[in-house]
Amino acid sequence: MPLRYLLKQLLLPPSGLLLLLGLGWWLRRRAPRAAGLCFALGLGGLWLLSLPVTVEWAARAIEREPALVEAQWPQLAQRAEAIVVLGGGREHGDPAWGGDQPSPLALERLRYAARLARASGLPLLASGGLHFGAQPSEAALLGEVLERDHGLPLRWREERSRTTWENARYSAELLQAEGIRRVVLVTQAWHMPRARWCFERAGFTVLPAPAGFLGVPNGRPLGGWLPEGRALWQSGLLLNEALGQLAYPLFYR
């Protein structure tokens, strides 16, 4: 497992908050005040991040690109030359399907990209490499689902990337070699600002096509003020994305 991934898993919620609670337990006799602070931060953080209303408010601050209007889909070929859909992880060894499958996030992206491709006639590129070095690539999984479930071909497979920055760089090697510099980019709405930044620095003119918006009315009981396990997972995604948006300009040029 890459060290970068391990550190991220340990520091981001819920692991980071659980470690904080563990630290509080260890300090309970040595430093009661510090222990109390750790407990308060750990429990308060778990409660806050598990609220659907927290997800809604946080996503509104991150999701800056508007959705494409469906009436504009047939004219996308006048504004771009290809559709790029980014991989979003995979589910390992699902016995119902006889092997690995794209994650729910990846399937959401792929479904939207398929709709756009069918409406516009634009060719598709899927970008996503190996998961911890294991075959098949995310792009290959997306290509299989696209063909078998949506009846559409995948023109290009970018199968080396492990980060959003590499999504953009390796996609550029495939597309710009064929003179393609204007792309419709499909990913989650909360991921779109960072993805667009990467693809523009790789030399593309980007037409954002965000999907999976979280900054919408949550529709939960009591306005989303009751804790929910799914909200904790979504808060982790948003926190990771916020950190990524801060870090990428520092590490990539």
Side-chain angles (χ1 to χ4, degrees):
M1 180 181 293
L3 179 60
R4 173 181 56 84
Y5 182 84
L6 181 60
L7 289 174
K8 185 169 71 172
Q9 291 297 99
L10 287 174
L11 295 177
L12 288 177
S15 298
L17 296 172
L18 293 175
L19 289 174
L20 198 58
L21 291 174
L23 178 61
W25 178 260
W26 185 71
L27 291 172
R28 71 191 188 282
R29 290 193 177 93
R30 299 172 177 83
R33 290 186 178 180
L37 179 61
C38 289
F39 279 124
L41 292 175
L43 291 173
L46 285 172
W47 174 77
L48 185 64
L49 294 179
S50 67
L51 297 179
V53 70
T54 300
V55 174
E56 178 184 336
W57 292 346
R60 288 178 182 173
I62 294 176
E63 296 173 347
R64 298 191 292 272
E65 303 288 353
L68 285 179
V69 179
E70 186 172 356
Q72 299 176 346
W73 294 0
Q75 287 77 48
L76 288 178
Q78 301 172 15
R79 306 170 62 187
E81 300 156 292
I83 296 172
V84 176
V85 56
L86 303 186
R90 67 205 283 177
E91 302 298 328
H92 179 69
D94 190 333
W97 299 97
D100 291 2
Q101 290 295 301
S103 72
L105 291 178
L107 289 173
E108 186 173 29
R109 299 174 186 181
L110 187 65
R111 181 187 177 209
Y112 192 53
R115 288 281 187 97
L116 297 178
R118 197 177 298 280
S120 66
L122 287 171
L124 279 156
L125 178 146
S127 177
L130 302 180
H131 188 71
F132 303 137
Q135 295 280 358
S137 68
E138 290 185 24
L141 292 173
L142 291 174
E144 180 183 5
V145 173
L146 184 69
E147 183 174 348
R148 297 184 65 176
D149 296 347
H150 298 281
L152 291 171
L154 194 62
R155 176 79 65 86
W156 304 276
R157 292 183 182 181
E158 185 287 295
E159 300 181 276
R160 294 187 289 158
S161 59
R162 296 166 299 171
T163 65
T164 305
W165 181 260
E166 291 180 353
N167 285 144
R169 291 295 164 181
Y170 296 146
S171 294
E173 291 181 9
L174 291 172
L175 295 180
Q176 293 177 8
E178 299 188 27
I180 295 175
R181 293 185 175 274
R182 296 178 297 142
V183 298
V184 178
L185 183 61
V186 179
T187 188
Q188 250 63 32
W190 44 264
H191 182 233
M192 183 59 75
R194 180 161 58 108
R196 180 177 185 175
W197 184 88
C198 292
F199 273 77
E200 287 179 341
R201 273 151 187 77
F204 289 105
T205 299
V206 176
L207 178 59
F213 286 80
L214 297 180
V216 295
N218 60 75
R220 299 298 198 275
L222 300 181
W225 286 95
L226 292 177
E228 185 177 282
R230 184 167 183 246
L232 183 59
W233 170 67
Q234 291 172 330
S235 292
L237 294 175
L238 294 174
L239 182 56
N240 177 72
E241 187 57 34
L243 293 174
Q245 290 185 19
L246 291 174
Y248 264 47
L250 299 177
F251 291 102
Y252 301 114
R253 301 293 180 184

